[in-house]
């Protein structure tokens, strides 16, 4: 029991001794690509599945008790756009996330490492211009999300990342129970930490 107490005390002391890291609020933007997969009767619909440009925004709070490990919680929004005139299609994802940050390489004021975590989000898919009765088959629903990637902090205020968001399950169409969508996103992001 004494060894456990001593180890806990040493860990707590080490975390308190590192005052170089601060807890910070952040806002950021993302750009990347989305893989939008339409599933009809449990088979991938190749003609209606596509790759799309995505953009996103995020904001949250980063808690760094040490210079090597931390947590962050944030709200983010991604929109994918496949422009094609009157057939333009969009999908959106609004999610609340919790990630573990591991900054394992330190070079002067810069740190590099990885992140991973989970989120819970609301997904929606729809045609921008509704031209046929089938177009009203909007897809919307909730799902869990896996977040992971590589990241780095430059001069303690600028965070850059390359990452992915993958849903745990496909989202069912509101009007047609045989249609599902499963979107995954690859992105590069920049965040400013206040």
């Amino acid at each position: 029991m004494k060894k456990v107490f001593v180890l806990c005390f040493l860990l707590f002391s080490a975390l308190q001794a590192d005052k170089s890291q601060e807890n910070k609020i952040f806002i950021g933007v993302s750009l990347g690509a989305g893989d939008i997969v339409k599933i009809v009767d449990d088979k991938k619909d190749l003609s209606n599945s596509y790759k799309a440009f995505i953009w996103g925004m995020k904001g949250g709070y980063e808690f760094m008790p040490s210079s090597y490990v931390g947590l962050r919680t944030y709200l983010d929004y991604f929109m994918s756009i496949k422009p094609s005139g009157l057939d333009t299609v969009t999908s959106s994802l609004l999610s609340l996330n919790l990630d573990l940050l591991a900054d394992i390489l330190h070079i002067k004021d810069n740190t590099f490492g990885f992140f991973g975590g989970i989120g819970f989000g609301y997904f929606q898919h729809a045609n921008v211009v509704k031209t046929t009765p089938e177009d009203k088959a909007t897809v919307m629903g909730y799902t869990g999300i896996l977040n992971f990637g590589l990241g780095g902090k430059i001069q303690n205020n600028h965070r850059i990342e390359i990452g992915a968001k993958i849903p745990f399950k496909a989202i069912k169409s509101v009007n047609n129970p045989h249609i599902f969508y499963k979107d995954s996103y690859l992105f590069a992001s920049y965040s400013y930490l206040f």
Side-chain angles (χ1 to χ4, degrees):
M1 184 66 176
K2 290 180 183 179
K3 290 180 183 179
V4 171
F5 178 75
V6 170
L7 287 174
C8 290
F9 178 76
L10 290 174
L11 178 63
F12 180 76
S13 298
L15 292 176
Q16 293 300 317
D18 185 1
K19 298 299 183 186
S20 64
Q21 296 297 315
E22 298 177 11
N23 305 326
K24 297 186 175 191
I25 294 172
F26 67 89
I27 58 171
V29 295
S30 302
L31 294 174
D35 184 22
I36 314 303
V37 177
K38 184 176 183 180
I39 303 167
V40 179
D41 294 325
D42 296 328
K43 294 180 183 172
K44 184 176 178 179
D45 182 355
L46 294 174
S47 62
N48 290 306
S49 297
Y50 57 91
K51 306 282 191 249
F53 166 77
I54 65 162
W55 65 272
M57 302 178 296
K58 64 182 173 181
Y61 184 74
E62 185 177 288
F63 173 68
M64 295 294 290
S66 82
S67 60
Y68 290 94
V69 178
L71 291 173
R72 71 175 170 191
T73 183
Y74 59 100
L75 186 66
D76 68 354
Y77 173 78
F78 279 100
M79 175 183 261
S80 70
I81 302 169
K82 180 191 173 199
S84 58
L86 295 177
D87 293 326
T88 296
V89 181
T90 65
S91 65
S92 300
L93 172 66
L94 178 65
S95 63
L96 180 63
N97 305 276
L98 177 66
D99 291 348
L100 173 69
L101 303 173
D103 292 336
I104 54 175
L105 178 62
H106 292 248
I107 302 171
K108 296 184 181 177
D109 289 340
N110 308 315
T111 62
F112 302 95
F114 59 91
F115 68 93
I118 58 171
F120 184 74
Y122 173 75
F123 168 83
Q124 182 174 347
H125 174 89
N127 286 26
V128 173
V129 179
K130 308 212 182 295
T131 57
T132 68
E134 184 188 53
D135 291 339
K136 68 181 179 183
T138 302
V139 178
M140 61 182 92
Y142 298 93
T143 186
I145 302 157
L146 177 65
N147 308 311
F148 60 91
L150 301 172
K153 198 182 295 181
I154 301 168
Q155 296 178 348
N156 212 22
N157 288 94
H158 308 278
R159 186 164 188 85
I160 53 172
E161 293 177 341
I162 297 172
K165 284 186 165 294
I166 300 173
F168 291 143
K169 66 174 186 151
I171 303 298
K172 188 189 317 184
S173 170
V174 174
N175 299 336
N176 188 339
H178 302 287
I179 297 176
F180 294 83
Y181 276 87
K182 189 167 186 177
D183 297 1
S184 54
Y185 303 101
L186 296 173
F187 62 88
S189 71
Y190 166 79
S191 298
Y192 184 79
L193 293 90
F194 294 94

